[in-house]
Amino acid sequence: MSVRIKAVVDRFVKELQEALDADIQDRVMKEREMQSYIQEREREVAEREAAWKAELSRREAEIARQEARLKMEKENLEKEKSVLMGTASNQDNQDGALEITVSGEKYRCLRFSKAKK
C-alpha cells in the first residue's frame, strides 16, 4: 500500500510541477505580450507627439510670417498717413503753383487735371 501511496503522491507532485511550469510559461508569455503592447503604444504616442510638435512649429512659423507682414503693412499705412496728413497751402505765387508740405518737405504742383471717372 505504501508503494501505491508513493506512486499517487509522485504522480500528484509531477502533475503539480507540470501545472506550475505551464503557469510560469503562460505568465512569461503574457509579460512578453504586455511589454510588446507597451512598446507599440509608446511608439504610437511618440509619433503623435512628433506630428503635433511639427504642426505646432509650422503654425508658429506662419504666425511669425503674418506678424511680419502686418508690421510691414502697419509701417506702410503710417507712411501713407504721413503723406495724406501733409499740409497743403495755396500760395498766391506768381506762377499759381500749389505748395504741399509733407513731413517737412515742400512740393510744388504747377498743373492740375480733373480725375477721370
Side-chain angles (χ1 to χ4, degrees):
M1 175 102 154
S2 142
V3 173
R4 266 175 93 192
I5 294 175
K6 184 174 183 332
V8 168
V9 169
D10 286 345
R11 194 176 89 210
F12 175 74
V13 169
K14 182 181 176 188
E15 289 174 358
L16 188 60
Q17 185 63 44
E18 289 172 354
L20 184 61
D21 289 344
D23 187 52
I24 290 172
Q25 287 288 30
D26 188 47
R27 288 177 187 242
V28 167
M29 290 299 293
K30 285 182 180 178
E31 179 68 24
R32 287 181 186 157
E33 288 173 2
M34 185 58 74
Q35 287 299 325
S36 176
Y37 173 77
I38 289 171
Q39 289 172 351
E40 178 66 21
R41 292 289 293 141
E42 285 175 343
R43 185 187 61 75
E44 289 172 1
V45 168
E47 286 175 356
R48 282 200 310 268
E49 182 181 17
W52 182 82
K53 285 181 179 180
E55 177 66 15
L56 179 63
S57 178
R58 186 191 65 74
R59 288 183 179 183
E60 287 173 341
E62 179 62 26
I63 288 169
R65 280 191 298 275
Q66 289 179 2
E67 285 176 342
R69 185 174 35 224
L70 286 173
K71 183 179 176 186
M72 283 180 23
E73 287 179 16
K74 186 176 180 181
E75 289 170 357
N76 289 339
L77 177 62
E78 290 300 318
K79 288 177 186 174
E80 287 179 35
K81 273 176 47 178
S82 72
V83 168
L84 294 175
M85 298 299 279
T87 58
S89 60
N90 189 355
Q91 301 288 330
D92 192 12
N93 295 326
Q94 292 176 352
D95 58 3
L98 174 66
E99 288 187 359
I100 301 171
T101 305
V102 178
S103 300
E105 302 221 11
K106 286 190 176 185
Y107 298 91
R108 290 174 50 84
C109 184
L110 297 173
R111 284 196 285 160
F112 296 97
S113 63
K114 224 176 187 182
K116 295 181 182 179
K117 291 186 179 183

